[in-house]
Amino acid sequence: MPNNLNAFRDPIARHLAKHGTLILDGAMATELEARGCDLTDTLWSAKVLIENPQLIYQVHLDYFRAGAQCAITASYQATPLGFAARGIGEQQSAALIQKSVELARQAREDYLAETGSDTSLLVAGSVGPYGAYLADGSEYRGDYALPQEEMKAFHRPRIAALVAAGVDILACETLPSFRETVALLDLLKEFPATFAWFSFTLRDSQHLSDGTPLSAVTELLSSAPQAAAIGINCIALESVSAALQHFAKLSDKPLLVYPNSGEHYDAVTKTWHSCGAAEQQLAAQAVAWRQIGATIIGGCCRTTPADIRQIVAQVAAVNR
């Protein structure tokens, strides 16, 4: 009975039971940059919550129109500490985080109204790692540490604001650190009706960025009732399949993947370089990921609504 009850409350389990797959949206920040935003800022896409929230709404709407079934809020780098550096107090910070949810929910409402659809669409509240707040690339290294209670204190107000604003699920994403994952999982107990997915950056196909074996990560999360799915995001396209295969052997949680576009990031020049036919590579590989066992698929940095549209078509062909 507890397992059945949990599955009924878990929005991902409900969606997958009905549809078989869940298509996520693509990049928010790089899509905002493509539409003219300057995000050379420690707040990254959270800056646009202050300056041009309507543009965030439009990006969400365009992803729904492309076939995404889940919007991830623009709260990845939206934290009270980050906003405080701009002279923004805790109350206004919480309001901005909640605004990120309202924008995604409004885009969902408007998309459903314009299409007359009653399909199941989710809003996931993005919870970026402490390394994202540091804005020094450490979400890809995991070389930071806080005592567990301090780490929970860092994440608590954002999670509380996202839950209060009505997200369907939390997206604990781009996590490089096992200790941070432990803290987040413990913090979730304070929000017992809330589920989260956990997606990680990797050192290689068998280790988190901080060097922790994936076997330790999956052992931790497999027994966690509030962990709705597990997987990877914001990693290079060519690294995905091997990592997914390893995850699939270790856990029976729903498997999720939303990697970067196929272009490569130059950390020195802070620019992206095409590897050729990136869109086609991403969509074509989505078929292989589905065959490995991934049921939650989308895109991260440099992916676009066009990429998501292609992934929708490819996954639909596999599911037929």
Side-chain angles (χ1 to χ4, degrees):
M1 177 65 71
N3 288 340
N4 291 338
L5 179 60
N6 208 48
F8 175 77
R9 293 168 51 219
D10 177 349
I12 284 182
R14 289 200 309 270
H15 182 98
L16 293 179
K18 185 175 182 180
H19 300 282
T21 55
L22 174 63
I23 304 299
L24 307 179
D25 61 10
M28 173 58 71
T30 54
E31 188 65 13
L32 290 171
E33 286 180 320
R35 300 182 191 209
C37 294
D38 178 6
L39 301 188
T40 54
D41 190 285
T42 55
L43 284 177
W44 207 33
S45 59
K47 171 188 177 188
V48 188
L49 286 171
I50 303 168
E51 296 178 350
N52 192 358
Q54 188 63 21
L55 191 56
I56 293 173
Y57 158 85
Q58 189 61 53
V59 172
H60 285 312
L61 184 59
D62 289 347
Y63 277 122
F64 282 133
R65 288 170 172 167
Q69 298 164 315
C70 180
I72 303 173
T73 62
S75 54
Y76 177 79
Q77 219 140 315
T79 65
L81 281 179
F83 285 131
R86 300 300 170 83
I88 296 172
E90 290 185 15
Q91 187 172 355
Q92 189 181 354
S93 170
L96 286 167
I97 293 166
Q98 291 182 330
K99 181 70 172 178
S100 75
V101 181
E102 292 163 10
L103 294 166
R105 287 167 60 97
Q106 187 63 55
R108 174 173 64 183
E109 265 185 54
D110 291 349
Y111 171 74
L112 292 174
E114 75 179 28
T115 59
S117 173
D118 62 354
T119 190
S120 167
L121 300 176
L122 303 179
V123 171
S126 176
V127 179
Y130 183 74
Y133 155 71
L134 296 175
D136 61 358
S138 56
E139 65 260 57
Y140 306 106
R141 303 187 306 268
D143 56 353
Y144 55 84
L146 283 178
Q148 186 178 49
E149 290 307 311
E150 289 184 32
M151 186 67 78
K152 287 164 63 177
F154 169 78
H155 284 293
R156 185 178 288 110
R158 174 172 48 184
I159 288 177
L162 292 169
V163 170
V167 293
D168 298 298
I169 193 161
L170 297 173
C172 297
E173 57 181 353
T174 326
L175 297 172
S177 161
F178 183 74
R179 292 180 64 182
E180 187 165 19
T181 304
V182 172
L184 281 165
L185 198 57
D186 193 47
L187 180 58
L188 268 184
K189 295 173 185 175
E190 299 177 18
F191 305 88
T194 301
F195 290 80
W197 78 57
F198 289 79
S199 57
F200 299 93
T201 62
L202 305 180
R203 175 177 296 182
D204 55 48
S205 64
Q206 298 189 24
H207 297 86
L208 292 191
S209 293
D210 71 356
T212 302
L214 293 189
S215 56
V217 179
T218 54
E219 182 179 359
L220 172 72
L221 294 174
S222 291
S223 60
Q226 289 175 268
I230 185 172
I232 48 180
N233 78 289
C234 208
I235 71 170
L237 198 56
E238 65 269 19
S239 304
V240 170
S241 290
L244 280 181
Q245 288 167 346
H246 194 60
F247 266 116
K249 293 174 185 175
L250 294 171
S251 176
D252 59 1
K253 294 277 188 184
L255 192 57
L256 69 94
V257 54
Y258 50 117
N260 297 333
S261 66
E263 297 169 282
H264 283 271
Y265 185 67
D266 185 328
V268 176
T269 63
K270 299 188 184 302
T271 55
W272 293 84
H273 300 283
S274 174
C275 296
E279 290 182 5
Q280 290 77 5
Q281 291 175 22
L282 180 71
Q285 290 198 37
V287 173
W289 304 334
R290 183 69 187 89
Q291 291 169 341
I292 291 169
T295 52
I296 306 164
I297 300 173
C300 202
C301 294
R302 299 288 284 185
T303 59
T304 67
D307 290 313
I308 299 306
R309 188 172 289 109
Q310 290 187 27
I311 288 173
V312 168
Q314 293 283 354
V315 171
V318 172
N319 287 344
R320 281 199 291 269

